[in-house]
């Protein structure tokens, strides 16, 4: 299902205001399509949904995780440390307008915030979200290499002198984790390849 159809179908479960839903979709499309986004863009959302669809039967609250995917990188500025908080705030505001109940909104808000630290959650749906977000780490050599180039472009405001140490720190953090992926499904699918990809990138930094 294309992203727009998916979003509209999701929203119409809560609101019959098609004009408002269209407005919110246009906002998502515009935000994820800005020129500075080389990786955190609409194809990233498409990939996450592809990954999540494959484990739909294991996800308790599919509507919630779907909203979390749409909004988790709504605000993305490579020089900011508040992207997740700002994205969660936008999600809360929009979902309130759609009449989504407070419990669902709180769950979605917390899921979006969880994408900041990527720590294991007591909520298994959140773990699936985090694993889908990181699934690129375990893709083929070619896909991973392309991802590293896209990330570098997003951080082009920083010279190598600043970018490389920061990137190394992030990659070493992943390798130090007992498991990069929190769920059994994603561990089995991507853990080994992800570690190989990360080690390979570290050698070349």
């Amino acid at each position: 299902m294309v992203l727009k159809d998916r979003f509209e179908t999701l929203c119409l479960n809560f609101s019959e205001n098609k004009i408002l839903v269209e407005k919110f979709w246009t906002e998502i499309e515009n935000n994820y399509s800005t020129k500075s986004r080389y990786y955190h863009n609409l194809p990233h959302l498409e990939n996450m949904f592809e990954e999540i669809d494959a484990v739909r039967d294991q996800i308790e609250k599919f509507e919630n995780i779907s909203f979390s995917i749409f909004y988790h990188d709504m605000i993305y500025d490579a020089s900011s440390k508040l992207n997740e908080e700002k994205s969660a705030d936008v999600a809360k505001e929009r979902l309130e307008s759609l009449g989504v109940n407070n419990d669902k909104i709180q769950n979605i808000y917390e899921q979006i915030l969880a994408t900041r630290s990527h720590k294991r959650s007591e909520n298994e749906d959140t773990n699936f979200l985090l694993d889908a977000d990181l699934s690129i780490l375990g893709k083929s050599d070619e896909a991973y290499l392309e991802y590293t180039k896209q990330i570098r472009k997003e951080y082009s405001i920083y010279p190598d002198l600043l970018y490389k140490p920061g990137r190394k720190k992030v990659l070493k953090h992943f390798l130090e984790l007992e498991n990069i992926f929190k769920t059994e499904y994603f561990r089995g699918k991507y853990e080994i390849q992800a570690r190989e990809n990360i080690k390979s990138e570290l050698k070349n930094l």
Side-chain angles (χ1 to χ4, degrees):
M1 191 188 295
V2 296
L3 288 174
K4 183 181 180 184
D5 292 346
R6 190 188 280 266
F7 182 75
E8 289 179 348
T9 302
L10 183 62
C11 292
L12 291 172
N13 289 332
F14 302 94
S15 172
E16 294 177 3
N17 188 338
K18 291 185 177 180
I19 293 170
L20 186 65
V21 172
E22 178 76 26
K23 179 186 169 188
F24 289 166
W25 165 252
T26 301
E27 180 184 42
I28 287 172
E29 189 174 40
N30 289 343
N31 278 38
Y32 282 91
S33 302
T34 58
K35 286 181 180 177
S36 59
R37 293 196 188 218
Y38 295 91
Y39 174 72
H40 293 90
N41 50 23
L42 294 174
H44 172 53
L45 299 190
E46 286 167 357
N47 175 67
M48 285 184 71
F49 276 115
E50 199 176 300
E51 295 290 350
I52 287 299
D53 283 344
V55 288
R56 187 171 186 143
D57 61 333
Q58 296 183 54
I59 290 168
E60 188 184 347
K61 296 175 180 172
F62 201 79
E63 288 178 336
N64 294 18
I65 204 171
S66 296
F67 275 127
S68 295
I69 290 173
F70 277 117
Y71 281 100
H72 81 288
D73 285 327
M74 186 68 174
I75 307 298
Y76 189 79
D77 173 1
S79 64
S80 173
K81 291 184 177 176
L82 297 172
N83 291 323
E84 292 82 7
E85 285 87 344
K86 289 178 180 177
S87 295
D89 286 342
V90 171
K92 184 173 185 286
E93 205 172 289
R94 303 301 179 264
L95 299 184
E96 283 173 350
S97 300
L98 290 170
V100 178
N101 75 54
N102 287 338
D103 286 347
K104 286 178 90 71
I105 292 175
Q106 186 60 31
N107 178 231
I108 293 159
Y109 192 89
E110 288 169 6
Q111 285 185 342
I112 293 171
L113 289 184
T115 64
R116 177 179 54 194
S117 62
H118 276 269
K119 289 179 180 168
R120 177 183 289 281
S121 172
E122 290 178 7
N123 182 301
E124 192 67 354
D125 280 5
T126 301
N127 290 329
F128 276 115
L129 173 74
L130 299 177
D131 282 357
D133 194 24
L134 293 182
S135 60
I136 186 64
L137 300 180
K139 302 279 186 177
S140 68
D141 297 354
E142 295 82 6
Y144 185 84
L145 182 61
E146 183 59 28
Y147 149 73
T148 63
K149 290 176 181 174
Q150 291 166 344
I151 291 293
R152 184 64 188 99
K153 285 179 182 175
E154 287 190 343
Y155 283 85
S156 60
I157 53 169
Y158 298 109
D160 280 351
L161 188 68
L162 292 174
Y163 177 77
K164 287 187 175 183
R167 182 69 180 166
K168 282 179 182 174
K169 186 179 176 184
V170 170
L171 296 175
K172 284 177 180 175
H173 165 71
F174 282 130
L175 291 181
E176 285 164 6
L177 295 172
E178 185 181 349
N179 297 297
I180 294 170
F181 295 97
K182 280 98 182 139
T183 63
E184 192 178 333
Y185 171 83
F186 280 102
R187 264 200 309 278
K189 190 175 183 184
Y190 290 130
E191 185 80 22
I192 293 169
Q193 183 67 40
R195 289 183 178 275
E196 288 178 8
N197 286 338
I198 291 168
K199 286 173 188 172
S200 176
E201 185 184 354
L202 274 168
K203 279 181 196 170
N204 295 316
L205 277 173

